[in-house]
Amino acid sequence: MNSELTLVGFAPPPTPYYLSSTDLTDAVIYSCPEEPLYRVTSDGKHIKICGGTTLNHIIAVLHRRDLLSDMISFPQRSGNDATGTRTGTGSHSQMSLHRWLKRSKTSDGTHIFTLNTTYGPYVWKVMSRYRHKVFADYDLENPVASCHLHQTLPRGRPAFILESEGEPLRDDIVVAYIVQRHRLQMETKALDLFVGPN
């Protein structure tokens, strides 16, 4: 006897992602220790996010600049070579970080960032200094990702959790997570420099 069981409204459980180190000079993002998914490296001027543990598959490069707005590039997307330099007429060459991850405030004063992805705009909402959530712009009630940006992440605490409907834009979420983590680290350093550590 053959029977099929259909579960209506069943969604796979969310996937936690971990960061091996909060130091972005060399960190690995993984969902389980045996399976590194991304490698983050920095030389001070560039933060590279690569797929896997090798540096061959560069997903994004954050180009840090002293006086002007930081830039971001997506080397593997159309129109770029492996270093992130524009090679053709593709639409994803270096762009201002503020254009890709646009900061604004809602009417109630909540800080948000609009993340422009190939799947459309997503809203990165600041719930507290170290806790952020990501929503599709058409559904601001159900987050597709929850991110923890604390200066230290206790062992076993995920860096971010991605709902199953957010998996297709995982690369964008990872890049935005690293950008937001870096932004908070720079703000903390500036505060420590001018005010002193707590």
Side-chain angles (χ1 to χ4, degrees), residues 84-153:
T85 306
R86 189 176 180 126
T87 58
T89 59
S91 61
H92 295 285
S93 62
Q94 283 188 23
M95 70 177 90
S96 167
L97 183 59
H98 298 298
R99 194 174 122 215
W100 180 69
L101 193 60
K102 219 177 278 184
R103 186 179 196 155
S104 61
K105 271 188 182 181
T106 61
S107 58
D108 68 355
T110 304
H111 289 281
I112 63 168
F113 295 83
T114 302
L115 174 65
N116 292 309
T117 74
T118 54
Y119 296 95
Y122 280 77
V123 176
W124 189 284
K125 197 171 184 182
V126 179
M127 309 307 279
S128 70
R129 180 165 171 83
Y130 298 112
R131 211 169 53 81
H132 299 186
K133 293 192 182 239
V134 182
F135 301 86
D137 74 333
Y138 56 84
D139 181 5
L140 298 176
E141 298 297 318
N142 300 303
V144 297
S146 299
C147 306
H148 305 281
L149 298 157
H150 298 83
Q151 289 182 20
T152 58
L153 289 170

Side-chain angles (χ1 to χ4, degrees), residues 21-87:
S21 168
T22 55
D23 178 6
L24 299 181
T25 56
D26 191 17
V28 174
I29 295 174
Y30 57 91
S31 59
C32 58
E34 310 82 44
E35 190 179 332
L37 299 170
Y38 299 92
R39 181 148 184 212
V40 181
T41 60
S42 175
D43 62 6
K45 282 289 188 190
H46 303 91
I47 296 176
K48 290 183 182 177
I49 298 111
C50 303
T53 56
T54 69
L55 301 177
N56 298 336
H57 180 70
I58 300 171
I59 292 171
V61 180
L62 175 62
H63 307 268
R64 298 192 55 228
R65 303 191 314 177
D66 294 328
L67 299 175
L68 301 171
S69 173
D70 290 345
M71 303 291 282
I72 192 159
S73 61
F74 297 91
Q76 302 299 319
R77 295 185 183 173
S78 63
N80 296 303
D81 65 14
T83 64
T85 306
R86 189 176 180 126
T87 58

